[in-house]
């Protein structure tokens, strides 16, 4: 069974911009793997740091269960994750354990630095999947199969400077939107926080709004997720594009 690994910064990031694609792969026999690098401990105005981390860990585990994915716990605290071997050696161990042929991660340029740092480390970890002279933490055996890295859309489909970001291709998530909604709903602490501050069910509705916007960008789908394939050097073959190949029947190319 081929496997896909989603590597994101915080609990709920996967659900927002990656989970629909993962669910479509699962329907086609792919094994799902799910990693939050940061613990979510700063994502509350009412819970203490420890309470928040504990709460959000449980919510993320439940969300991964809804998606049918193997869960890997965080290795850093929010806003303290840095591009250092102590962190990416742990992420590389997860890549090797999952034996992923597809790694999904954040946009290299996004609205907050946790996303950008985790993206960079996910790329490094994927690059080192077959590098025996790099010992992961904990040690995991290398594997030789190619790994292709794909970047999700940034928040708002724009760079922090407001420049639009157009995906290489779009994946239709319309028929899995309810399961994606259910997985996001597991993050009850975030729902409560935003509902309290904005007086509406803003959290889950924002996910639907984002999905609709990407769907409109596709020119074809009601809901969609957008992806950009990273260049192949050191990862896979020049023509490898396993995500688009696996979902060819429910994807369309992007337009610059």
């Amino acid at each position: 069974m081929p496997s896909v690994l989603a590597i994101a910064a915080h609990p709920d990031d996967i659900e927002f911009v990656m989970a629909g694609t993962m669910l479509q792969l699962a329907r086609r026999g792919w094994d799902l793997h799910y990693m939050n690098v940061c613990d979510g401990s700063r994502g509350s105005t009412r819970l203490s740091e420890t309470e928040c981390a504990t709460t959000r860990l449980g919510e993320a585990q439940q969300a991964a269960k809804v998606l049918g994915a193997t869960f890997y716990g965080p290795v850093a605290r929010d806003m303290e994750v840095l591009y250092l071997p102590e962190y990416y050696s742990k992420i590389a161990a997860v890549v090797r354990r999952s034996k992923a042929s597809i790694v999904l991660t954040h946009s290299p340029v996004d609205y907050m630095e946790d996303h950008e740092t985790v993206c960079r480390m996910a790329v490094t970890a994927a690059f080192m999947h077959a590098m025996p002279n790099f010992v992961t933490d904990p040690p995991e055996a290398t594997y030789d199969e190619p790994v292709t890295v794909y970047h999700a859309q940034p928040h708002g489909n724009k760079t922090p400077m407001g420049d639009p970001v157009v995906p290489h291709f779009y994946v239709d998530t319309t028929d899995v939107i309810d399961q994606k909604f259910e997985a996001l709903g597991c993050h009850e602490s975030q729902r409560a926080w935003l509902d309290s501050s904005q007086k509406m069910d803003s959290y889950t509705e924002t996910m639907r709004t984002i999905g609709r916007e990407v769907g409109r960008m596709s020119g074809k789908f009601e809901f969609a997720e957008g992806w950009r394939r990273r260049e192949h050097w050191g990862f896979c073959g020049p023509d490898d594009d396993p995500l688009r190949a696996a979902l060819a029947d429910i994807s369309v190319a992007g337009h610059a």
Side-chain angles (χ1 to χ4, degrees):
M1 182 182 296
S3 66
V4 54
L5 169 62
I7 303 173
H10 310 108
D12 73 24
D13 286 337
I14 288 172
E15 289 77 6
F16 262 106
V17 294
M18 307 180 197
T21 298
M22 294 174 72
L23 288 166
Q24 294 289 26
L25 287 171
R27 288 184 170 187
R28 290 154 176 80
W30 285 66
D31 190 22
L32 307 186
H33 297 261
Y34 173 120
M35 183 183 192
N36 297 317
V37 174
C38 302
D39 64 1
S41 57
R42 274 64 189 261
S44 178
T45 57
R46 61 184 181 83
L47 298 174
S48 71
E49 183 179 341
T50 300
E51 290 172 328
C52 190
T54 300
T55 299
R56 298 195 72 188
L57 176 61
E59 291 170 347
Q61 289 171 325
Q62 182 59 35
K65 185 176 180 180
V66 168
L67 297 174
T70 300
F71 178 84
Y72 302 91
V75 299
R77 297 197 297 180
D78 291 3
M79 309 309 299
E80 295 184 21
V81 63
L82 299 171
Y83 184 82
L84 293 171
E86 67 185 84
Y87 296 123
Y88 61 69
S89 63
K90 293 180 173 65
I91 301 170
V94 171
V95 172
R96 292 181 184 182
R97 202 174 310 155
S98 71
K99 292 184 170 54
S101 54
I102 291 174
V103 168
L104 308 177
T105 192
H106 291 291
S107 171
V109 179
D110 210 340
Y111 81 108
M112 70 169 302
E113 290 193 10
D114 278 0
H115 288 200
E116 294 179 346
T117 302
V118 166
C119 170
R120 187 180 175 197
M121 291 197 293
V123 170
T124 295
F127 189 87
M128 296 188 299
H129 77 281
M131 194 178 290
N133 287 347
F134 184 87
V135 180
T136 61
D137 180 16
E140 293 285 345
T142 61
Y143 64 103
D144 294 329
E145 290 77 11
V147 175
T148 308
V149 177
Y150 295 87
H151 296 285
Q153 283 295 93
H155 186 72
N157 298 303
K158 296 178 180 179
T159 71
M161 310 315 296
D163 300 315
V165 174
V166 178
H168 293 165
F169 64 99
Y170 300 87
V171 171
D172 185 7
T173 60
T174 307
D175 63 353
V176 294
I177 194 67
D178 289 341
Q179 193 174 352
K180 183 176 174 178
F181 187 91
E182 180 186 357
L184 182 63
C186 294
H187 299 276
E188 185 63 35
S189 65
Q190 297 301 284
R191 183 202 299 262
W193 179 27
L194 293 175
D195 288 357
S196 174
S197 63
Q198 299 184 26
K199 310 301 181 186
M200 61 183 291
D201 190 11
S202 57
Y203 190 62
T204 48
E205 285 309 309
T206 296
M207 184 271 283
R208 289 185 184 272
T209 299
I210 290 171
R212 284 194 183 96
E213 180 178 342
V214 180
R216 285 194 297 271
M217 290 170 65
S218 77
K220 183 174 182 179
F221 307 129
E222 181 180 1
F223 294 95
E225 291 174 354
W227 296 99
R228 288 176 292 162
R229 173 188 174 272
R230 193 173 188 90
E231 285 292 344
H232 68 282
W233 295 291
F235 297 94
C236 58
D239 299 320
D240 290 356
D241 200 353
L243 182 58
R244 200 179 322 203
L247 303 180
D249 58 319
I250 55 166
S251 65
V252 295
H255 303 283

